[in-house]
Amino acid sequence: MKRVAVLEYGMGNVRSMFNALEKLAAAPTLTADADKLSGFDAIVLPGVGAFGQGMENLRARGLDAAIVDCAKAGMPILGVCLGMQMLLETSTEFGAHEGLGLVPGGVEKLAPASARLPHIGWNTVLEPHPGRWPGTPLRAYAGEEVYFIHSFAAVPANAQHVLAEAEYDGVRFCAAIGRENIVGMQFHPEKSRAGGLSLLGAFLEL
Amino acid sequence: MLARRIIPCLDVKDGRVVKGINFVGLRDAGDPVECAARYSEGGADEICFLDITASHDERRTLFELVERTARAIAVPLTVGGGVRERRDVHDLLHAGADKVSTNSGAVANPSFVAEASRAYGSQAIVVAIDAKRVSAPGEPTRFSVFTHGGRRDTGLDAIEWAKRVVDLGAGEILLTSMDRDGTRDGYDIELTRAVVDAVSVPVIASGGVGNEAHIRDGFLLAGADAALAASIFHDGQHTVAEVKHYLLAAGVRVRPPEESDGPGPEGAAS
């Protein structure tokens, strides 16, 4: 059974992620203990909220450096929503902020032509090009709608790191990122019914 | 493409789901955790959980109930009732809510909306507006904002208030017509359209759904992004799946009801 650290750092709903992992028969632990991270099999970085506050909370607990160390050691890391965004280098949400820098690129506000922000609700995701998903957690994706709730989205510097895209009001944006053992999902797999759980399950098999 | 959302609402009082007419005359409609689980399995896109006594009694939402409800469902949960400070937002999100809704708290202290959205993101902060038609016949239509479960007229204009809270950082408006709430006469299309046109965030229509056509009208006539309803689901008049089949046939894009929402995702078992 995979021991999964679900990072609890004061940024919203970590409980739903914990519940979802339990349903998948993983062994999740809610933790903010930077010293213990290297003892897990995988790290899930959930989070909703503002980028700057999220990074501040990670730094205050020493989690930023610990996550980077684990990532460099090859441990599977999954960032969800804000957690995905913080995997990148920078964000422009409420000023300029530095992220964890595990995936080159930044985070920018969505720019829908006419529709509303935040982008809230159920939407499908797309494979950026054929052959991108095999070997990644997205291989488990079967076309179901997944739940999004965000106004900002990742803009990876390297197109190869775009794992999935979604479309909102005519604008395509990055819905998932992937770089070796590092995965990010802008949508909430833990809140996306059976289809979302399949994606989480596939991450656990990394 | 983004789907329109169907959101069953659980008004909770003393740990039970209740439903009233025009905000009074409450009657029992079941156990909140059971109701939420049933709707989640039946195809609801989100669940809304409002502790309707919280403001009145000056007590905070029952976190334990939120925790159990969040655990029982596989879709997002919005929780409101007695949310008036940052600590309330933190505690509810920690208990398992994905979004929190504030009504009286925002009116009492508008800067709370700014503070909370800054700390937790706009997407986590829903401002609930209970609006009632206060203009006399023949006068230009005017809607006033009420708080404390519909007991207190703030004198605020509902449309102006909606714009203001969005400027402050609200990520969504949950708009309830007090005139229609519990009447089954349909959403107040005029009110809903006015708010939809005035703000740049998603609007959840609420108050008055009596049948599937009312939900269709909320989307197609009023332009709402999400439709909240209580009685038609609680009373077993319609399932969420039935409503969705109706909407799909009427040309409204919704997430199709799943054939089976059984326990095990295939990918997880392999």
Side-chain angles (χ1 to χ4, degrees):
Chain A
M1 193 177 279
K2 284 234 170 154
R3 293 160 301 150
V4 183
V6 178
L7 299 188
E8 184 174 36
Y9 59 107
M11 293 306 285
N13 186 347
V14 292
R15 177 64 55 183
S16 59
M17 179 60 79
F18 183 90
N19 293 345
L21 290 167
E22 271 197 326
K23 282 179 201 161
L24 291 166
T29 302
L30 292 178
T31 182
D33 190 341
D35 295 336
K36 298 217 170 105
L37 279 196
S38 59
F40 288 91
D41 299 317
I43 295 172
V44 174
L45 177 60
V48 296
F51 191 100
Q53 180 84 50
M55 284 304 302
E56 196 181 309
N57 289 9
L58 286 182
R59 284 191 203 104
R61 294 161 176 80
L63 287 166
D64 54 331
I67 294 167
V68 170
D69 287 348
C70 290
K72 290 193 170 150
M75 190 188 293
I77 313 273
L78 173 64
V80 170
C81 198
L82 173 65
M84 157 173 167
Q85 296 177 3
M86 292 192 301
L87 298 175
L88 288 110
E89 293 170 307
T90 57
S91 170
T92 56
E93 184 177 9
F94 296 127
H97 301 280
E98 233 178 83
L100 295 169
L102 292 170
V103 175
V107 177
E108 290 170 21
K109 194 164 193 172
L110 289 172
S114 60
R116 289 150 199 281
L117 285 181
H119 169 234
I120 298 181
W122 298 79
N123 207 335
T124 49
V125 302
L126 309 158
E127 193 168 15
H129 57 81
R132 180 67 182 91
W133 286 352
T136 79
L138 268 293
R139 74 180 189 280
Y141 183 70
E144 312 93 334
E145 284 87 353
V146 288
Y147 189 81
F148 287 86
I149 177 162
H150 64 121
S151 297
F152 287 75
V155 184
N158 185 339
Q160 287 175 355
H161 295 152
V162 176
L163 183 55
E165 293 177 311
E167 186 254 306
Y168 179 47
D169 194 35
V171 177
R172 269 203 179 207
F173 65 89
C174 177
I177 54 176
R179 183 186 188 188
E180 294 161 7
N181 54 315
I182 298 157
V183 180
M185 298 180 189
Q186 180 58 63
F187 51 88
H188 290 265
E190 79 282 14
K191 281 282 162 185
S192 298
R193 308 169 64 86
L197 286 184
S198 301
L199 297 176
L200 265 187
F203 165 74
L204 293 176
E205 287 166 21
L206 277 187
Chain B
M1 204 179 129
L2 188 67
R4 309 267 185 151
R5 288 169 282 150
I6 305 293
I7 308 176
C9 181
L10 311 177
D11 290 335
V12 175
K13 184 171 189 284
D14 302 328
R16 298 289 294 177
V17 179
V18 294
K19 193 60 205 159
I21 295 174
N22 299 122
F23 281 45
V24 293
L26 302 174
R27 60 194 159 74
D28 191 284
D31 174 71
V33 181
E34 280 173 24
C35 286
R38 189 167 70 241
Y39 297 142
S40 169
E41 282 158 23
D45 296 307
E46 289 178 30
I47 303 290
C48 183
F49 182 112
L50 297 178
D51 186 354
I52 59 172
T53 53
S55 289
H56 182 45
D57 299 340
E58 302 295 334
R59 66 183 165 74
R60 299 172 66 184
T61 310
L62 307 168
F63 296 111
E64 184 267 343
L65 194 54
V66 172
E67 237 176 85
R68 285 199 294 131
T69 304
R71 195 181 280 269
I73 66 177
V75 296
L77 175 66
T78 299
V79 180
V83 175
R84 43 187 71 245
E85 52 187 83
R86 187 164 159 176
R87 184 77 209 172
D88 300 326
V89 179
H90 172 271
D91 291 350
L92 285 171
L93 293 176
H94 191 263
D98 298 283
K99 299 185 253 187
V100 299
S101 161
T102 178
N103 180 340
S104 305
V107 171
N109 177 19
S111 67
F112 163 61
V113 176
E115 191 199 339
S117 59
R118 191 112 182 175
Y120 300 102
S122 288
Q123 83 293 326
I125 308 300
V126 180
V127 171
I129 299 177
D130 293 339
K132 188 173 182 174
R133 213 172 271 260
V134 289
S135 43
E139 282 178 8
T141 312
R142 203 178 89 79
F143 297 95
S144 189
V145 176
F146 282 66
T147 58
H148 296 75
R151 284 179 290 273
R152 194 177 296 176
D153 184 357
T154 65
L156 292 167
D157 179 82
I159 315 300
E160 292 307 314
W161 176 239
K163 287 199 251 187
R164 172 126 187 258
V165 296
V166 170
D167 285 344
L168 288 168
E172 205 166 17
I173 301 290
L174 166 51
L175 178 68
T176 300
S177 162
M178 289 181 56
D179 302 297
R180 297 297 179 89
D181 190 63
T183 64
R184 300 176 176 252
D185 291 336
Y187 293 124
D188 188 325
I189 300 295
E190 185 184 4
L191 167 68
T192 311
R193 182 87 243 174
V195 173
V196 166
D197 288 345
V199 300
S200 59
V201 301
V203 175
I204 305 166
S206 161
V209 169
N211 59 45
E212 300 151 311
H214 292 151
I215 294 182
R216 174 200 64 201
D217 292 348
F219 290 134
L220 298 184
L221 300 182
D225 298 276
L228 185 138
S231 307
I232 67 160
F233 299 131
H234 298 337
D235 295 350
Q237 182 188 346
H238 287 295
T239 64
V240 176
E242 283 167 6
V243 169
K244 287 194 158 181
H245 284 301
Y246 174 90
L247 291 170
L248 287 168
V252 179
R253 158 130 176 106
V254 290
R255 185 173 59 86
E258 289 163 36
E259 291 298 314
S260 160
D261 284 309
E266 295 146 52
S270 62

